[in-house]
Amino acid sequence: MRAKAFATDDSDKAKKAQQINEYSLPDAALKERLWNEITDSSSTDTLLQFQNKISGFFNRYQQIDLIQPYFSKYYEIVHDFVESKERERAEIFISNLSPAFLARDEDEQNFKALLEKANLEKHFYVQFLKQQLESIDIIRRSRVLCADQ
């Protein structure tokens, strides 16, 4: 059915959509392969290929159970990833794979620890970490307000 949907459209937009669609399949082995490719330090993926893989990998609304094992891995490597990659690739990685939306205690602790060791010259990263901590606080406040009603 997927092949049929894209059979008559050879545009770049259709190719991108098809690629993301394939990366989005709910398959644990696929998620593991994508994670390994996304985090591979010797990857030769273009920025677009990298972004497409992340878009397909991280489906927090329908596949939370498949991506949850990668949240702790995110915290383990995000600092080194930012330090070793060009800014644009690092920004795609940090913003699209962040588990801050869960607003768990461990998320707050991890982002605080990352902020403490962040390279202050990486302003975009420091700002991102502060925004994640602020988001966690807002989400928690929202949950309290919703629970009170």
Side-chain angles (χ1 to χ4, degrees):
M1 186 159 143
R2 285 190 316 256
K4 188 176 181 180
F6 295 106
T8 59
D9 192 347
D10 197 29
S11 68
D12 288 342
K13 236 181 183 177
K15 288 177 185 175
K16 177 182 177 181
Q18 185 174 11
Q19 193 173 49
I20 292 171
N21 186 308
E22 289 173 12
Y23 294 151
S24 297
L25 295 174
D27 177 23
L30 173 62
K31 298 299 180 191
E32 183 175 358
R33 189 190 97 217
L34 287 171
W35 177 261
N36 290 334
E37 291 175 9
I38 290 165
T39 60
D40 181 1
S41 61
S42 61
S43 173
T44 58
D45 284 347
T46 66
L47 204 55
L48 181 60
Q49 290 168 326
F50 178 73
Q51 190 164 13
N52 289 348
K53 286 179 181 180
I54 287 177
S55 294
F57 172 84
F58 200 82
N59 192 333
R60 73 184 200 191
Y61 299 109
Q62 298 171 344
Q63 299 175 0
I64 190 77
D65 56 323
L66 290 173
I67 61 172
Q68 199 152 11
Y70 298 92
F71 296 154
S72 60
K73 293 178 182 187
Y74 172 88
Y75 291 121
E76 290 170 12
I77 69 162
V78 67
H79 176 79
D80 292 338
F81 194 95
V82 169
E83 287 296 316
S84 66
K85 300 294 182 185
E86 72 275 10
R87 179 180 173 155
E88 200 168 3
R89 192 171 300 261
E91 285 180 328
I92 291 167
F93 183 85
I94 62 177
S95 61
N96 290 288
L97 295 174
S98 172
F101 70 95
L102 296 169
R104 304 169 299 179
D105 290 341
E106 64 194 78
D107 298 313
E108 180 181 32
Q109 293 163 2
N110 279 305
F111 279 112
K112 283 182 178 179
L114 288 167
L115 185 57
E116 286 178 18
K117 70 178 185 176
N119 178 350
L120 297 180
E121 292 178 13
K122 302 268 185 179
H123 301 288
F124 74 95
Y125 181 51
V126 172
Q127 199 58 31
F128 168 79
L129 295 171
K130 289 177 180 178
Q131 288 170 345
Q132 296 307 285
L133 288 165
E134 186 177 328
S135 292
I136 290 169
D137 182 53
I138 291 168
I139 292 167
R140 287 178 174 170
R141 288 177 194 220
S142 296
R143 287 177 184 163
V144 169
L145 287 173
C146 290
D148 289 345
Q149 293 187 354

